[in-house]
C-alpha cells in the first residue's frame, strides 16, 4: 500500500487552515473554542456568510441560521462536550480541503430544546460533520447525528418526537418538505472515487477507495452478504447507531441486513469519499452515503406504510492492508421515522 506524505507536506496552502498547524487542528481547536470555551461568535472566523448546511431534515443557508441553531443548543446543553474521535481530511486543490469529523458527544439536558423542557438527564451519542473548507472558510457542511441515542438516554418517546418533527423540522421550523429535491438527497454521483459532492478528489488511494465503493455495491446493493469476509477482517468491529457495537463477520452481516429488511427495495449510493493516511492512525476512508427505499419490509419503525425514505448516512472505515478492520456508521433514525410518520399522517 502506498504511504501518503505527512499531513503538513501535502500540496495544500497553509493559509487555508491558518492559524492552525494542520487541517486536523483547524477542525479540533476551532470546535473547542466554540463549544468548550463558548466562543460562539468565533463561528464567523471560519464559516462563510453564505454557508450551506445539509441535514437529514432539510437545508439551511447562511451564517445567521448557524448562529441561531448553535446558541439554542448551547443553552439546552450548556455542559456539552465532545471527544474528537477522528478527523479524516483530504485536499480539494491547493486552497481547499474536506474534513470528515467524527465526534463522541456528551451533555446534560438542562435547558429547553426541540425535544421539550429540560429533563436533567445525561446523554451521549456520535455524530459526523463533513465539511468543505475553501480558503479558510467552511462553505458547505453535511451533518449527521445519532439522535435516537439522545432520546433513549433522556427517556423520551422516539415515535412521539419523530411525529412532532415531521410537522416541525428542527432545522426549518416547518413541515419537512419533499426530500427528493433537497441537494443533499437528490441527484446521483457517477464516480465518487474521482468526483464526489465535495468536488474533484486527488489521485490518491484510488484503489482502496474504489474497493470501499465496490463493497457497498456488492454487500448492500447486490445483497451478497456472504462477501463481507472479502472486504472485512474476521475481527471487524462496527460501532453504529444507538451505540450498538457488533464484532466479527456474522454479527456484521446481520447489522446490515436488519436495516435493509425494513427497506427491502433500497439501494445505497456513495456520494463522497475522503481518504487520509497518518502515522498515528493509519489509513482511514470516510464515506457519505445515501440509501433510497420504501418502508415496505420489517416493521422496525412502526406499521409498514410504503413511505418513500431517504437515509443520509456516513461511515468511517479503518483499513489494514486490503481489509477493513473498523467501521463507525452513523445515520439519524429519528429523521427516518419522521419521514414514515409524515406519509402516514398525509395518507390519513
Amino acid at each position: 500500500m502506498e504511504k501518503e506524505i505527512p499531513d503538513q507536506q501535502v500540496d495544500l496552502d497553509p493559509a487555508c487552515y491558518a492559524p492552525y498547524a494542520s487541517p486536523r487542528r483547524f477542525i479540533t481547536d476551532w470546535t473547542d473554542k466554540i463549544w468548550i470555551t463558548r466562543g460562539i461568535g468565533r463561528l464567523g472566523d471560519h464559516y462563510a456568510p453564505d454557508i450551506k448546511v445539509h441535514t437529514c431534515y432539510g437545508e439551511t443557508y447562511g451564517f445567521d441560521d448557524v448562529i441561531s441553531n448553535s446558541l439554542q443548543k448551547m443553552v439546552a446543553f450548556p455542559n456539552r462536550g465532545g471527544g474528537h474521535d477522528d478527523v479524516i481530511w483530504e485536499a480539494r486543490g491547493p486552497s481547499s480541503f474536506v474534513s470528515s469529523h467524527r465526534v463522541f458527544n456528551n451533555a446534560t439536558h438542562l435547558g429547553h430544546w426541540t425535544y421539550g423542557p429540560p429533563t436533567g438527564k445525561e446523554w451521549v451519542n456520535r455524530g459526523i460533520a463533513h465539511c468543505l473548507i475553501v480558503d479558510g472558510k467552511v462553505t458547505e457542511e453535511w451533518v449527521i447525528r445519532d439522535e435516537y441515542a439522545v432520546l433513549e438516554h433522556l427517556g423520551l418517546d422516539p415515535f412521539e418526537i419523530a411525529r412532532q418533527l415531521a410537522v416541525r423540522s428542527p432545522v426549518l421550523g416547518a413541515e419537512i418538505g419533499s426530500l427528493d429535491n433537497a441537494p443533499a438527497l437528490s441527484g446521483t454521483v457517477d464516480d465518487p472515487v474521482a468526483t464526489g459532492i465535495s468536488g474533484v478528489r486527488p489521485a490518491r488511494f484510488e484503489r482502496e477507495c474504489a474497493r470501499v465503493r465496490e463493497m457497498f455495491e456488492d454487500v448492500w446493493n447486490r445483497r451478497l452478504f456472504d462477501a463481507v469476509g472479502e472486504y472485512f477482517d474476521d475481527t471487524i468491529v462496527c460501532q453504529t447507531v444507538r451505540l450498538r457495537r457488533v464484532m466479527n463477520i456474522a454479527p456484521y452481516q446481520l447489522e446490515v441486513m436488519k436495516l435493509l429488511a425494513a427497506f427491502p427495495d433500497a439501494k445505497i449510493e456513495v456520494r463522497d469519499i475522503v481518504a487520509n493516511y497518518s502515522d498515528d492512525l493509519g489509513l482511514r476512508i470516510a464515506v457519505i452515503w445515501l440509501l433510497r427505499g420504501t418502508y415496505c419490509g420489517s416493521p422496525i419503525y412502526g406499521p409498514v406504510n410504503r413511505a418513500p425514505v431517504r437515509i443520509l448516512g456516513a461511515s468511517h472505515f479503518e483499513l489494514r492492508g486490503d481489509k477493513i478492520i473498523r467501521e463507525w456508521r452513523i445515520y439519524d433514525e429519528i429523521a427516518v421515522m419522521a419521514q414514515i410518520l409524515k406519509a402516514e399522517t398525509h395518507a390519513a
Side-chain angles (χ1 to χ4, degrees):
M1 181 185 299
E2 66 172 316
K3 181 175 179 179
E4 188 175 5
I5 54 181
D7 291 356
Q8 66 269 23
Q9 296 181 27
V10 170
D11 294 332
L12 193 62
D13 186 347
C16 73
Y17 52 81
Y20 306 98
S22 68
R24 186 191 297 185
R25 293 292 297 274
F26 176 103
I27 296 298
T28 58
D29 291 6
W30 177 43
T31 299
D32 287 346
K33 285 182 180 180
I34 296 162
W35 292 102
I36 304 302
T37 62
R38 299 182 180 173
I40 195 168
R42 298 188 183 279
L43 282 163
D45 293 349
H46 299 294
Y47 267 122
D50 57 349
I51 182 174
K52 301 175 183 178
V53 180
H54 309 286
T55 78
C56 305
Y57 300 90
E59 314 282 322
T60 64
Y61 302 95
F63 179 67
D64 289 343
D65 284 329
V66 174
I67 284 285
S68 174
N69 292 334
S70 299
L71 177 61
Q72 293 174 62
K73 193 158 198 173
M74 194 172 290
V75 170
F77 311 109
N79 65 343
R80 181 176 180 266
H84 304 294
D85 277 6
D86 197 5
V87 177
I88 303 176
W89 71 270
E90 183 177 77
R92 291 289 182 270
S95 61
S96 64
F97 64 96
V98 174
S99 159
S100 191
H101 182 201
R102 189 178 76 247
V103 180
F104 190 79
N105 300 294
N106 64 281
T108 309
H109 186 199
L110 298 174
H112 285 78
W113 180 236
T114 302
Y115 303 148
T119 62
K121 295 182 179 179
E122 297 181 347
W123 60 266
V124 297
N125 80 340
R126 280 192 173 89
I128 291 177
H130 194 89
C131 297
L132 175 62
I133 297 95
V134 180
D135 293 325
K137 297 286 187 180
V138 180
T139 61
E140 202 159 2
E141 181 175 19
W142 294 262
V143 181
I144 302 163
R145 303 185 184 97
D146 177 11
E147 290 300 302
Y148 200 110
V150 176
L151 296 178
E152 278 192 315
H153 297 158
L154 297 184
L156 301 176
D157 182 352
F159 286 92
E160 178 57 31
I161 297 298
R163 194 178 302 278
Q164 294 174 22
L165 298 185
V167 298
R168 182 176 50 82
S169 164
V171 174
L172 306 175
E175 181 179 16
I176 293 179
S178 173
L179 295 180
D180 290 339
N181 298 320
L185 306 173
S186 63
T188 58
V189 177
D190 293 330
D191 184 7
V193 175
T195 304
I197 52 177
S198 65
V200 178
R201 290 194 62 249
R204 275 202 167 112
F205 298 114
E206 293 166 293
R207 182 177 67 85
E208 291 85 354
C209 291
R211 185 164 172 79
V212 167
R213 187 192 183 197
E214 182 183 80
M215 179 278 296
F216 276 102
E217 188 63 31
D218 281 350
V219 174
W220 289 78
N221 287 340
R222 298 179 65 197
R223 312 302 199 248
L224 298 176
F225 306 117
D226 58 336
V228 166
E230 298 177 16
Y231 297 98
F232 295 87
D233 189 82
D234 289 345
T235 59
I236 175 66
V237 176
C238 178
Q239 309 269 5
T240 187
V241 294
R242 308 192 205 182
L243 302 181
R244 287 199 299 269
R245 180 175 184 266
V246 297
M247 299 175 61
N248 303 327
I249 297 296
Y252 183 94
Q253 292 170 322
L254 288 174
E255 187 65 31
V256 174
M257 294 168 69
K258 285 176 185 176
L259 178 57
L260 290 174
F263 313 100
D265 61 349
K267 294 293 184 182
I268 199 165
E269 178 191 33
V270 173
R271 295 176 70 81
D272 212 44
I273 299 179
V274 177
N276 183 278
Y277 178 92
S278 63
D279 289 336
D280 57 340
L281 298 172
L283 177 62
R284 292 99 64 228
I285 294 177
V287 171
I288 292 289
W289 48 264
L290 177 64
L291 186 146
R292 299 179 175 97
T294 306
Y295 187 47
C296 60
S298 300
I300 296 172
Y301 299 113
V304 172
N305 60 1
R306 303 196 64 81
V309 170
R310 305 290 181 267
I311 303 179
L312 181 65
S315 290
H316 280 188
F317 299 100
E318 182 180 340
L319 289 80
R320 292 292 183 273
D322 285 334
K323 294 293 184 78
I324 298 168
I325 65 169
R326 298 283 187 276
E327 179 185 357
W328 292 263
R329 184 189 308 145
I330 308 297
Y331 53 97
D332 189 339
E333 292 180 281
I334 304 304
V336 174
M337 294 162 64
Q339 294 174 64
I340 294 169
L341 292 169
K342 176 196 170 187
E344 178 185 287
T345 301
H346 283 200

